[in-house]
Amino acid sequence: MASEEVDRFVSRRQSLGEGHTEAWKRTLEEAQMLADDRRKDGWEATYVMAAHTDTVSTDMNDHDRFGLMHVLPNNFADRFTEAYDSDAFSEYLVYGTSVDGVMFVVIELIDPEGHRAILVPCSYDMTMAQGMSESAAEAGVLPSYFKTIDGEILARFDHEEIEPLVTPPNA
């Protein structure tokens, strides 16, 4: 990223402050509420917070991965690994909104047969995601990768519908 772009990005982030702090707080609260509601309905619900989410395109790295890269702190990575089964989790829902170009969402991964859900609150800057959106449109799928802080990929989940994750859901 060129110095001008970095300066513009930093200035933009600093100007947004309180609105983003409040949106993140509401996103975390919503994830907990959704998990509690699932539990009340008899489901097993796991809450796993992404400490950081990047939007990655195919032209950004020396590998072919693109999509949302969710970094899970170790305590949440352990919870995720214990709960997730790539064969069983086949559906998803997305809840959230966009605030000044930043998506604040809860991704709910669903195992409909086992009545299990994993709720992942995350936020990511869509103003920096044009390449990811183009890669997803070309592939017809938007992957979410869940990885540890040291980069170990724990899982990949493919979202067949791209729009709820790259445009303001629940608009």
Side-chain angles (χ1 to χ4, degrees), residues 38 42-44 85 87-91 109-117:
R38 286 288 189 193
W43 285 55
E44 181 182 323
D85 175 351
D87 294 329
F89 283 84
S90 58
E91 298 177 13
L109 304 178
I110 301 169
D111 167 8
E113 299 293 321
H115 298 304
R116 297 182 301 158

PDB file of all heavy atoms in Angstrom, residues 38 42-44 85 87-91 109-117:
ATOM      1  N   ARG A  38     -30.671 -19.332  20.663  1.00  0.00           N
ATOM      2  CA  ARG A  38     -30.494 -20.707  20.152  1.00  0.00           C
ATOM      3  C   ARG A  38     -30.507 -21.712  21.308  1.00  0.00           C
ATOM      4  O   ARG A  38     -31.130 -22.762  21.214  1.00  0.00           O
ATOM      5  CB  ARG A  38     -29.191 -20.835  19.364  1.00  0.00           C
ATOM      6  CG  ARG A  38     -29.207 -20.194  18.007  1.00  0.00           C
ATOM      7  CD  ARG A  38     -30.065 -20.958  17.033  1.00  0.00           C
ATOM      8  NE  ARG A  38     -29.897 -20.433  15.696  1.00  0.00           N
ATOM      9  CZ  ARG A  38     -30.699 -20.731  14.701  1.00  0.00           C
ATOM     10  NH1 ARG A  38     -31.721 -21.540  14.896  1.00  0.00           N
ATOM     11  NH2 ARG A  38     -30.499 -20.220  13.513  1.00  0.00           N
ATOM     12  N   GLY A  42     -33.050 -25.087  22.534  1.00  0.00           N
ATOM     13  CA  GLY A  42     -32.501 -26.435  22.639  1.00  0.00           C
ATOM     14  C   GLY A  42     -31.287 -26.713  21.771  1.00  0.00           C
ATOM     15  O   GLY A  42     -30.847 -27.856  21.670  1.00  0.00           O
ATOM     16  N   TRP A  43     -30.740 -25.697  21.154  1.00  0.00           N
ATOM     17  CA  TRP A  43     -29.567 -25.867  20.306  1.00  0.00           C
ATOM     18  C   TRP A  43     -28.295 -25.740  21.137  1.00  0.00           C
ATOM     19  O   TRP A  43     -28.288 -25.102  22.186  1.00  0.00           O
ATOM     20  CB  TRP A  43     -29.526 -24.786  19.234  1.00  0.00           C
ATOM     21  CG  TRP A  43     -30.510 -24.989  18.123  1.00  0.00           C
ATOM     22  CD1 TRP A  43     -31.863 -25.158  18.235  1.00  0.00           C
ATOM     23  CD2 TRP A  43     -30.222 -25.029  16.731  1.00  0.00           C
ATOM     24  NE1 TRP A  43     -32.429 -25.289  17.015  1.00  0.00           N
ATOM     25  CE2 TRP A  43     -31.440 -25.209  16.059  1.00  0.00           C
ATOM     26  CE3 TRP A  43     -29.055 -24.913  15.990  1.00  0.00           C
ATOM     27  CZ2 TRP A  43     -31.531 -25.288  14.668  1.00  0.00           C
ATOM     28  CZ3 TRP A  43     -29.142 -24.981  14.616  1.00  0.00           C
ATOM     29  CH2 TRP A  43     -30.361 -25.179  13.966  1.00  0.00           C
ATOM     30  N   GLU A  44     -27.228 -26.323  20.629  1.00  0.00           N
ATOM     31  CA  GLU A  44     -25.889 -26.088  21.174  1.00  0.00           C
ATOM     32  C   GLU A  44     -25.331 -24.886  20.417  1.00  0.00           C
ATOM     33  O   GLU A  44     -25.229 -24.910  19.189  1.00  0.00           O
ATOM     34  CB  GLU A  44     -25.010 -27.314  20.942  1.00  0.00           C
ATOM     35  CG  GLU A  44     -23.616 -27.190  21.481  1.00  0.00           C
ATOM     36  CD  GLU A  44     -22.780 -28.430  21.178  1.00  0.00           C
ATOM     37  OE1 GLU A  44     -23.322 -29.547  21.214  1.00  0.00           O
ATOM     38  OE2 GLU A  44     -21.581 -28.239  20.897  1.00  0.00           O
ATOM     39  N   ASP A  85     -17.542 -28.858  12.505  1.00  0.00           N
ATOM     40  CA  ASP A  85     -17.421 -30.063  11.691  1.00  0.00           C
ATOM     41  C   ASP A  85     -17.801 -29.652  10.271  1.00  0.00           C
ATOM     42  O   ASP A  85     -18.957 -29.302  10.017  1.00  0.00           O
ATOM     43  CB  ASP A  85     -18.356 -31.147  12.220  1.00  0.00           C
ATOM     44  CG  ASP A  85     -18.394 -32.394  11.358  1.00  0.00           C
ATOM     45  OD1 ASP A  85     -17.830 -32.396  10.249  1.00  0.00           O
ATOM     46  OD2 ASP A  85     -19.010 -33.377  11.799  1.00  0.00           O
ATOM     47  N   ASP A  87     -18.406 -31.188   7.604  1.00  0.00           N
ATOM     48  CA  ASP A  87     -19.464 -31.964   6.959  1.00  0.00           C
ATOM     49  C   ASP A  87     -20.845 -31.612   7.502  1.00  0.00           C
ATOM     50  O   ASP A  87     -21.836 -31.701   6.789  1.00  0.00           O
ATOM     51  CB  ASP A  87     -19.215 -33.462   7.126  1.00  0.00           C
ATOM     52  CG  ASP A  87     -17.976 -33.924   6.379  1.00  0.00           C
ATOM     53  OD1 ASP A  87     -17.664 -33.332   5.324  1.00  0.00           O
ATOM     54  OD2 ASP A  87     -17.310 -34.866   6.865  1.00  0.00           O
ATOM     55  N   ALA A  88     -20.929 -31.224   8.769  1.00  0.00           N
ATOM     56  CA  ALA A  88     -22.225 -30.977   9.405  1.00  0.00           C
ATOM     57  C   ALA A  88     -22.709 -29.535   9.253  1.00  0.00           C
ATOM     58  O   ALA A  88     -23.910 -29.290   9.101  1.00  0.00           O
ATOM     59  CB  ALA A  88     -22.154 -31.330  10.891  1.00  0.00           C
ATOM     60  N   PHE A  89     -21.797 -28.577   9.279  1.00  0.00           N
ATOM     61  CA  PHE A  89     -22.192 -27.174   9.189  1.00  0.00           C
ATOM     62  C   PHE A  89     -22.353 -26.806   7.709  1.00  0.00           C
ATOM     63  O   PHE A  89     -21.371 -26.573   7.009  1.00  0.00           O
ATOM     64  CB  PHE A  89     -21.175 -26.264   9.886  1.00  0.00           C
ATOM     65  CG  PHE A  89     -21.304 -26.299  11.374  1.00  0.00           C
ATOM     66  CD1 PHE A  89     -20.691 -27.287  12.120  1.00  0.00           C
ATOM     67  CD2 PHE A  89     -22.073 -25.343  12.036  1.00  0.00           C
ATOM     68  CE1 PHE A  89     -20.824 -27.334  13.505  1.00  0.00           C
ATOM     69  CE2 PHE A  89     -22.213 -25.385  13.416  1.00  0.00           C
ATOM     70  CZ  PHE A  89     -21.591 -26.379  14.153  1.00  0.00           C
ATOM     71  N   SER A  90     -23.593 -26.769   7.273  1.00  0.00           N
ATOM     72  CA  SER A  90     -23.874 -26.594   5.847  1.00  0.00           C
ATOM     73  C   SER A  90     -24.672 -25.335   5.526  1.00  0.00           C
ATOM     74  O   SER A  90     -24.871 -25.017   4.356  1.00  0.00           O
ATOM     75  CB  SER A  90     -24.652 -27.804   5.338  1.00  0.00           C
ATOM     76  OG  SER A  90     -25.866 -27.960   6.077  1.00  0.00           O
ATOM     77  N   GLU A  91     -25.139 -24.616   6.539  1.00  0.00           N
ATOM     78  CA  GLU A  91     -25.937 -23.422   6.315  1.00  0.00           C
ATOM     79  C   GLU A  91     -25.346 -22.259   7.110  1.00  0.00           C
ATOM     80  O   GLU A  91     -24.531 -22.461   8.003  1.00  0.00           O
ATOM     81  CB  GLU A  91     -27.389 -23.651   6.749  1.00  0.00           C
ATOM     82  CG  GLU A  91     -28.079 -24.750   5.968  1.00  0.00           C
ATOM     83  CD  GLU A  91     -29.493 -25.028   6.448  1.00  0.00           C
ATOM     84  OE1 GLU A  91     -30.048 -24.216   7.214  1.00  0.00           O
ATOM     85  OE2 GLU A  91     -30.031 -26.074   6.062  1.00  0.00           O
ATOM     86  N   LEU A 109     -22.891 -19.887  11.657  1.00  0.00           N
ATOM     87  CA  LEU A 109     -22.715 -21.146  10.945  1.00  0.00           C
ATOM     88  C   LEU A 109     -23.683 -22.144  11.578  1.00  0.00           C
ATOM     89  O   LEU A 109     -23.777 -22.231  12.809  1.00  0.00           O
ATOM     90  CB  LEU A 109     -21.278 -21.640  11.073  1.00  0.00           C
ATOM     91  CG  LEU A 109     -20.196 -20.660  10.615  1.00  0.00           C
ATOM     92  CD1 LEU A 109     -18.809 -21.244  10.846  1.00  0.00           C
ATOM     93  CD2 LEU A 109     -20.390 -20.275   9.155  1.00  0.00           C
ATOM     94  N   ILE A 110     -24.391 -22.917  10.748  1.00  0.00           N
ATOM     95  CA  ILE A 110     -25.475 -23.754  11.256  1.00  0.00           C
ATOM     96  C   ILE A 110     -25.309 -25.206  10.835  1.00  0.00           C
ATOM     97  O   ILE A 110     -25.086 -25.507   9.656  1.00  0.00           O
ATOM     98  CB  ILE A 110     -26.838 -23.223  10.746  1.00  0.00           C
ATOM     99  CG1 ILE A 110     -27.044 -21.777  11.207  1.00  0.00           C
ATOM    100  CG2 ILE A 110     -27.988 -24.115  11.202  1.00  0.00           C
ATOM    101  CD1 ILE A 110     -28.212 -21.080  10.560  1.00  0.00           C
ATOM    102  N   ASP A 111     -25.466 -26.093  11.807  1.00  0.00           N
ATOM    103  CA  ASP A 111     -25.583 -27.533  11.597  1.00  0.00           C
ATOM    104  C   ASP A 111     -27.062 -27.858  11.825  1.00  0.00           C
ATOM    105  O   ASP A 111     -27.479 -28.053  12.968  1.00  0.00           O
ATOM    106  CB  ASP A 111     -24.689 -28.286  12.583  1.00  0.00           C
ATOM    107  CG  ASP A 111     -24.971 -29.782  12.651  1.00  0.00           C
ATOM    108  OD1 ASP A 111     -25.767 -30.304  11.833  1.00  0.00           O
ATOM    109  OD2 ASP A 111     -24.401 -30.438  13.538  1.00  0.00           O
ATOM    110  N   PRO A 112     -27.875 -27.889  10.756  1.00  0.00           N
ATOM    111  CA  PRO A 112     -29.311 -28.053  10.939  1.00  0.00           C
ATOM    112  C   PRO A 112     -29.712 -29.414  11.513  1.00  0.00           C
ATOM    113  O   PRO A 112     -30.675 -29.501  12.274  1.00  0.00           O
ATOM    114  CB  PRO A 112     -29.884 -27.846   9.540  1.00  0.00           C
ATOM    115  CG  PRO A 112     -28.767 -28.117   8.603  1.00  0.00           C
ATOM    116  CD  PRO A 112     -27.506 -27.773   9.350  1.00  0.00           C
ATOM    117  N   GLU A 113     -28.984 -30.448  11.172  1.00  0.00           N
ATOM    118  CA  GLU A 113     -29.309 -31.788  11.670  1.00  0.00           C
ATOM    119  C   GLU A 113     -28.973 -31.947  13.153  1.00  0.00           C
ATOM    120  O   GLU A 113     -29.733 -32.545  13.906  1.00  0.00           O
ATOM    121  CB  GLU A 113     -28.559 -32.846  10.855  1.00  0.00           C
ATOM    122  CG  GLU A 113     -28.903 -32.855   9.384  1.00  0.00           C
ATOM    123  CD  GLU A 113     -30.323 -33.297   9.114  1.00  0.00           C
ATOM    124  OE1 GLU A 113     -30.808 -34.228   9.787  1.00  0.00           O
ATOM    125  OE2 GLU A 113     -30.957 -32.686   8.223  1.00  0.00           O
ATOM    126  N   GLY A 114     -27.840 -31.414  13.562  1.00  0.00           N
ATOM    127  CA  GLY A 114     -27.384 -31.562  14.946  1.00  0.00           C
ATOM    128  C   GLY A 114     -27.864 -30.458  15.872  1.00  0.00           C
ATOM    129  O   GLY A 114     -27.529 -30.450  17.049  1.00  0.00           O
ATOM    130  N   HIS A 115     -28.623 -29.506  15.331  1.00  0.00           N
ATOM    131  CA  HIS A 115     -29.102 -28.354  16.115  1.00  0.00           C
ATOM    132  C   HIS A 115     -27.942 -27.681  16.844  1.00  0.00           C
ATOM    133  O   HIS A 115     -27.969 -27.492  18.050  1.00  0.00           O
ATOM    134  CB  HIS A 115     -30.203 -28.768  17.086  1.00  0.00           C
ATOM    135  CG  HIS A 115     -31.411 -29.309  16.405  1.00  0.00           C
ATOM    136  ND1 HIS A 115     -32.101 -28.610  15.456  1.00  0.00           N
ATOM    137  CD2 HIS A 115     -32.045 -30.491  16.516  1.00  0.00           C
ATOM    138  CE1 HIS A 115     -33.115 -29.331  15.019  1.00  0.00           C
ATOM    139  NE2 HIS A 115     -33.099 -30.479  15.629  1.00  0.00           N
ATOM    140  N   ARG A 116     -26.932 -27.318  16.030  1.00  0.00           N
ATOM    141  CA  ARG A 116     -25.767 -26.619  16.559  1.00  0.00           C
ATOM    142  C   ARG A 116     -25.532 -25.352  15.751  1.00  0.00           C
ATOM    143  O   ARG A 116     -25.808 -25.316  14.552  1.00  0.00           O
ATOM    144  CB  ARG A 116     -24.519 -27.500  16.482  1.00  0.00           C
ATOM    145  CG  ARG A 116     -24.600 -28.753  17.322  1.00  0.00           C
ATOM    146  CD  ARG A 116     -23.328 -29.571  17.265  1.00  0.00           C
ATOM    147  NE  ARG A 116     -23.015 -29.969  15.883  1.00  0.00           N
ATOM    148  CZ  ARG A 116     -21.803 -30.316  15.474  1.00  0.00           C
ATOM    149  NH1 ARG A 116     -20.780 -30.308  16.307  1.00  0.00           N
ATOM    150  NH2 ARG A 116     -21.595 -30.681  14.236  1.00  0.00           N
ATOM    151  N   ALA A 117     -25.019 -24.339  16.414  1.00  0.00           N
ATOM    152  CA  ALA A 117     -24.694 -23.076  15.749  1.00  0.00           C
ATOM    153  C   ALA A 117     -23.394 -22.528  16.320  1.00  0.00           C
ATOM    154  O   ALA A 117     -23.105 -22.700  17.502  1.00  0.00           O
ATOM    155  CB  ALA A 117     -25.820 -22.067  15.947  1.00  0.00           C
TER     156      ALA A 117
END
